[in-house]
Amino acid sequence: MNMIELENIDKTYVTASVETRVLKRISFSVQKGEFLSIMGTSGTGKSTLMHILGCLDKPTDGHYRLDGTDMVSLNDDALSHLRNNKIGFVFQQFYLLDRATVLRNVMLPLIYTKEYPEDAKEQAEKLLAAVGLTERATYRPNQLSGGQQQRVAIARALINNPALVLADEPTGNLDSKSGADVLAVFQKLNREGRTIILVTHDRNVAEHANRIILLKDGMVAEDRVISSPLDADAESRAEAEKEMSK
Amino acid sequence: MNTLRIAQECFLSLNANKLRSFLMMAGTIVGIAALTVIMAVGKGTEKKVMKRVNAFGTHAIMVTAGGGKGFSPPQEGITTLRLEDAEAIKNEISGIEVEAPFAVKMGMPVKAGSNQVQTIVMAVAPEWHDAFDWYPSDGDPVTEEDMATMSRVCLLGTLAAKDLFGQQNAIGEYVQIGNVRFRVKGILQTRGVSPMGDDFDSRIVIPLSTGLRRLFNQDYISNIRVKVKDPAQISSIADEIRRLLHERHHITPPAEDDFAIFSAADVAKVARGISGILTLLLGALAGLSLLVGGIVLMNILLISVGERIKEIGLRRALGATRRDIFAQFLMESILITTSGMVLGSIFGWIITVGLARVTKMTPVITWEPFALALGFALLVGVFFGVQPARRAARLEPVEALK
């Protein structure tokens, strides 16, 4: 079953009198349970594509179906609800609220759900346990390391049990050990059946996925399957050993 | 409904920036405090005014001999006001229910046995009881017969009776006023403080004819008390009386009057005194504080929207609708002003209590200022919160997350 279907997606920005065509006739589909990396150097339109995939922005032309819903025809409110219950975001800068505890940060998307789950707190605690941060539940984000903060953000992305997890350069602000830990979490989630799209400029990061789409000048330049993805768990262990031997 | 959940977010945000929150509140606190004080002082003043007006009589007009001010009795030796004037007023002006001329003497020595007091003696016509709504609680009123026979009888105020006779029944006993012996025929109802500030109940009342001929030895009166049928007509009737007296006394304005006319409205004006100005000043302060406070609030909120663009973007990405974002910032604004209102009310209440201690004002604390303050707080919160909230809600998520 296709989780995502993109058909001739075009995005053109108009500033002053200059028209910039950022995405050109992009078409691909993503199956449920895939782990896809979208790769490209800066300026190739990968951020724009990621915004469209995340229903944060609309294409100028083309069709986008997410989990059976045609998002292009939806209004702003409907898109907000779609983001709330179908998409989990992980950002490069984490975007956690320092004034709230880690647990509260994880529960943040629940503010905007129609039905507030009765076991919200238990769910959040379970997710924190899944990313290995049970003891940090009452901490403030600024008391955590970067890697820990990004794992809190992943737990937050999962609280509404989304169909799709979208990660935008999730390891961009992390050292290699923390980066490997975060990627290990993504790989574990994917093994559990979660659909993940990871946007990055870094080939080493991209190759942790099962499939890579390479963007060049706003077009799909390459779409290939990775038969043997890199193992983030192994890298994390290797980094840890390196630390020990220092 | 997620409104409650969003409200919780507001609380967290305001709690995290205590100084900023306080600055946003400051204007509301001052404004509401001033408002609370005004209302309390105003209420207290109105209560005082009503008490004075009721003591004077809501239907009453008082003509006093001599120019002068206030409702004080005329000075000694003013002989311009006469019984004929009272007669003319009664005959020529309509709308009068009852009219009673009387003469007053201050500081008359009164003796009963070994007890002696100095008090106000009023020589009154029988209509005086109706004109003042002041009747004997015990014994008999001043009658036409007393007038005709110039009988030496008197009625005592309750305080005068107590001073002269103690607990003993005074009716039928004799008192000596000046050099004349009077038989006590009645005790007047307890009436309390007069508009002049003295105690009505220390006064003594005698028949007008007796007073003029036997005691005061004069042919002029000091006052004419008029009670009108319709209080709405008070000022027009007062004007007619003034015109008639001008004519009778051959006075052409701007020549000075040899009489003064007071009505309930004048009493209220005198009783209000400077409290009107005070209310006006405090009102201006309250209005200005709320306005300036609102503008400060709006600006800090706008700055806060600018600082929290990333947060807004994040919330939008996590599923907040524009309405949710709008609600969050508007509620922050309202939460600020209502918190300010609570602090301001407490503050105002403390000032009011302090004011009651150090001044002669008697502020009255009621629920109205709090309801009004809540209304103002909501108004300011909404009015000055809408613009920042709208700005926050308008942000495009993609722009906010850049």
Side-chain angles (χ1 to χ4, degrees), chain A residues 7-20:
Chain A
E7 217 180 298
N8 294 325
I9 294 289
D10 253 61
K11 183 70 182 178
T12 306
Y13 288 110
V14 183
T15 47
S17 55
V18 187
E19 272 195 18
T20 320

Side-chain angles (χ1 to χ4, degrees), chain B residues 326-349:
Chain B
F326 182 82
Q328 183 183 339
F329 279 86
L330 190 64
M331 277 198 266
E332 276 188 26
S333 176
I334 292 171
L335 199 62
I336 286 280
T337 53
T338 44
S339 308
M341 173 241 141
V342 171
L343 288 178
S345 288
I346 294 171
F347 213 50
W349 184 75

